[in-house]
Structure formats: structure tokens, C-alpha cells
Amino acid sequence: MADHVEISHLSKVFPTPKGPLRVVKDFNLRIRQGEFVTLIGHSGCGKSTVLSILAGLSEASAGGIVLAGRELTGPGPDRGVVFQSPNLLPWMTALENVMLGVDQVFYTASREERRQIAEYYLTVVGLGEALHQRPSELSQGMRQRVGIARAFALSPKMLLLDEPFGMLDSLTRFELQQVLLDLWNRTRLTALMVTHDVDEALFLSDRIVMMTNGPEAEVGEILHVPFPRPRRRQELLENPEYYRLREQLIEFLHVRAYTLKGQTPKGPSSTAPVLRAASSVAVAA
Amino acid sequence: MKKIHWDAVLMPLVGIALTLLAWQMISGRIVTRSLADGTVEEVKLGWVQDLPGPVQTWEKTRKYVVEPFAKREELDQGILRFTWYSLVIVAKGYAIALILGTPLGFLLGLSSTFSKMFDPIIQVLRPVSPLAWMPLGVVLFANAGKSANELAALFTIAVCAMWPTVLNTAVGVRAIPQDYLNVARVLKLSRTQTLLKIMIPATLPYMFTGYRLSLGIAWLVIVAVEMLTGRIGIGNFLWNEYNNGLYTSIVLCIVTIGLVGFALDRAMSLLERRFKSIL
Ligand SMILES: Nc1ncnc2c1ncn2[C@@H]1O[C@H](COP(=O)(O)OP(=O)(O)OP(=O)(O)O)[C@@H](O)[C@H]1O
Ligand SMILES: [Mg+2]
């Protein structure tokens, strides 16, 4: 059976004052229907670049993407996108922000049905009481909940999430990871999410794709996360396997992200994501 | 209870008092003195001999103020009645300025080609005085018969008042965050929907800044327009009274024009703040 998403030989070249810069080179990845995949790698390696090509917001310099048997050309509501900042339209209420997409996708449904779809997803993410509030009246975390509801409400063929919890404090991040996981358990949408956080990746995904450093970043290694679903954070943290996988991820980021590209691992700067990840475990435990 | 800020009330009053005092000091007054031979001579004294002082101004112009809507004769009406005539023509010209200026601003903001073509022309036309536009307006609408006069006036107001709306709208369109436009792209909104649901709301605060500035200019231009066309209104009243040597009315007109302009600006900035608070 063909995979749901096929990313083949994807490359992206940016023109820079110093000449063309090949940020991503020969990026290959296949994702099965209903699979949750995270993309992890050092800052600046090209994760967002890959994601925005998938979203159709940026064009590939070479290579192509096939989604559900069709070659992708340009953006479309068949992919639900959640950005790092939720990108809500400030003049619309939470409900109107979600309706904007729902109206577009379910244009054959009646207005009442469309409204019910939007209300359903907002309620599931815990905003049933805040339907008519504007983004300025919502906390950062609540705004990102709207962002998540907006993406899921499209019933897209694929979800694309670019560090959706990157700007949140760690407690809110845990809450929202749970919200995302709950919603995903109900819908099982094929998802590709970018993150810096190894614990987040282990908690959410079926597979973790580790990207090498750039320029010419590519897929380094892929880690299968074998924990059964539905998952509970507490159970994972009590599982020795969790720490073995975590070690493997950190080892990659620390060493092989560099050595695979013939670079020498850096000292202090390369430990930054590791430290961040370690501190979030402490909070969780 | 809310504390009253005496400063906020008192200081402007002190400012007004000082201004009146300065006015009194530079204004002229007429003194009669009896000469040795028994005849009486009138002498003008003061720094600006023909400038009436505050008290004299009030005495001579109070009939325009206490009956602000009276119409005694064509050229002898209450001050607010004159103001009303002016406001009507300003409102029409202003409406034209907005109707033309807003889409023009959108075009400038959306298309860099259009912007490159027309931005230099706009920059050159923008500082041209209403006194310079007015004769052109008269020429343009010379064949319009009875309404030629009005059309020339509307042309002048619109063409002078339009620019802040054009430029602010263009700036606002260029400042729409890419994030908002990406939402439109991801959802594949049609052009019309992107314009109505994303671009116009995102630009509204800038548009209203432009609208406020445009209204200020439209009101500023009215005196020049009425002087040149002879349309009845506060600017025309001012000019007639000057020609008749009734200088007290000039002061009344200036104060009235200033107060009306101030009120218009306040009203617009309230609207403007409302739209800004949404973003
Ligand atoms: N429009 C652009 N023009 C030139 N270079 C770009 C452009 N966009 C991104 N880059 C470069 O491409 C590289 C990858 O950027 P990208 O945003 O994909 O990284 P990332 O992995 O998402 O990083 P982060 O984790 O910090 O978000 C970076 O070195 C960046 O400087
Ligand atoms: Mg990024």
C-alpha cells in the first residue's frame, strides 16, 4: 500500500547575498495514514523550511510531495497548519476564527452545521466557555488552543505543527500536549510536528525523525517510539525504555547531528536543547 | 469618588486668560479727547491699531452668537448657520476624498508596480495648496452650468483632503502581517474574501488615522474655497466682513472654525481608537 505522505528528494535553496544557500538537501520521508511523526533537530537546520513547503507556503527547489496520492501544488485547507504563534485574526472571536476555515471546507453544509463543527472542536480543546472572546481576551495558551481547534476543524488530510508549544511556559505546554493528544486520539489525523523538546516528541509521536545540521540538512536517523496508546505521561516516566530512547535522541542531537555532516560537535551551544529538555522532565516528575 | 484633577481644568483656563490678556494688550482702542479749542478728536491707540480687543469683539459679534441659527439676510446669519453651510459642503467633499482615496491607497499598498508608477506624482501633488487647485477646478467644471461652482469647490476639497487617506491606507496595507495573509493562503480564501475578511479589517486602524487627518484638511480648505467661489458659509462670511472692515467678525470666525475643527478631530480620534483597540 502506498504511504499517505511521500516526501521525495526535497531540496530548498535560498538566495543569499553570499550566493545560493542549500538549506535542505535530499530530504526523504514517508508517513503512513494516521501516523504521528515529529521532526527534531538543531535550531536553523531547516525544520520549518520543510514544514512550510509541505504547507505550500514555500516552494521546493527540487523534489516533490505526494499527499494521499496527489502531488502537492501550493497551499490548501486539506492541510491543517498550527504555527508557533497561533496567528489568530484579532478582530474575530475564537468561534469566528475557527469558522473562517470551516466555512471554506464544508461549504456544502448548512450554516448551523458549520457552526456546530466549530463549536465542537473549540469545546474539545476546553474553550466551550470562550467561544465569543477575541484573541486579546485570551491567554497565550488559550489562543494556541484555538489554533489547534482551527486546524482539526478542517478535517484535513494532514496536520502540520511547527513548534506549536514553543512559546508557552512548561506547565501550559504539558496541558496543551495533553489537549493535542486527546484530540488526535479521537481523529487519528496524520501529523507532522516540529519540536525542540525531546520529551514532547517521545510523549506524542509514533516516530521521531532526527534531522542533521544544515546546510544541506537531511534525515539523519529515525526512532520508533513503541509505547502503546493511549499514553499517560506518568506511565512513560516510570518506564526505563523511555530513558533509553531519550538518551538516544540526546546523543544524536549532541554528536551525530554534527558528525553525520562531517562537522565537529560543539561544546556549550549544542547542550542548550538538552538542558531545556532535562529541566522539563524535572517539572513533570 | 473620582479625584478631580484641578490642573486639567485650571491650567487651560489660565492659558485662555493669558491669551486674552495678550490680545487685549496688542489690540487697538479708540480714545476721544477734547482739544484746547473745544473740539473733540478721536485717536487710535495701541500696537495694532485696527485690531479689536476681546470686549469690543464680544459686543459687536454677540448677535451672531446668541442667535446662532438666525437668518436675517443672506449675508447676515447666525454663526452656526454659516458653519452648517460650510459643514455640508465639507462633508460632501470629504466623502468624495474617502471614496477615491481608500481604493487608491489599497492599490498603492498592494501593487508595487502601481506604487512605483504613481507614488512620485502623489508626492508632488500632495503639498499643493487649495488656492492653487481651486482655479483648476473652475476650469475643469466650467461647462457644468449652474453646479459649476459647487463642483469646483468639491473638487478642491476632495483633491486636497485625499492624500492622508491614500498614504495611510497604503502604509496599512503594506503593514498587514504575513501571518494573516498566510491564514488566507492556507485556507485558500478567494480574493474577495481575503480582501473583506483579512485585508480591510487589518488595515482599518491605519485607514482611520488617514480619515482623521483628511477631515482636518477638508475643514482647513473650506475658507479658501468659499473665499474664491463666494459660496455662502463661514469662510465667505469671514471674507465679506473683512472687506467691509468689520474686523471683530474675523476673530469670531477664527474661533468658530478652530472649535469646529477641534470637535471634528476629537470625534474622529474616538472612532480611530475604537478600531485600534481591536487589534
Ligand atoms: N527566506 C530565507 N532566506 C534565506 N535564508 C533563509 C530563509 N528562511 C530560512 N533561511 C535559512 O534557512 C535555515 C533553516 O531555517 P528554518 O527556519 O527552516 O530552521 P528551523 O530548523 O526551523 O530553526 P528553528 O528551530 O530555529 O525554528 C536557516 O539557516 C535560515 O537562516
Ligand atoms: Mg523553525
Side-chain angles (χ1 to χ4, degrees), chain A residues 75-77 87 90-91 100 104, chain B residues 179-180 186-188 193 197-198 201:
Chain A
N87 281 356
W91 52 87
L100 187 65
Q104 196 67 2
Chain B
D179 287 350
Y180 297 168
V186 168
L187 296 178
K188 273 213 173 133
Q193 275 182 313
K197 297 203 165 159
I198 307 228

Side-chain angles (χ1 to χ4, degrees), chain A residues 33-46:
Chain A
Q33 171 105 48
E35 201 180 8
F36 197 119
V37 176
T38 47
L39 199 54
I40 201 164
H42 282 290
S43 183
C45 72

Side-chain angles (χ1 to χ4, degrees), chain A residues 47-48 84 162-163 194:
Chain A
K47 306 180 292 295
S48 298
Q84 181 164 15
D162 193 351
E163 297 188 49
V194 167

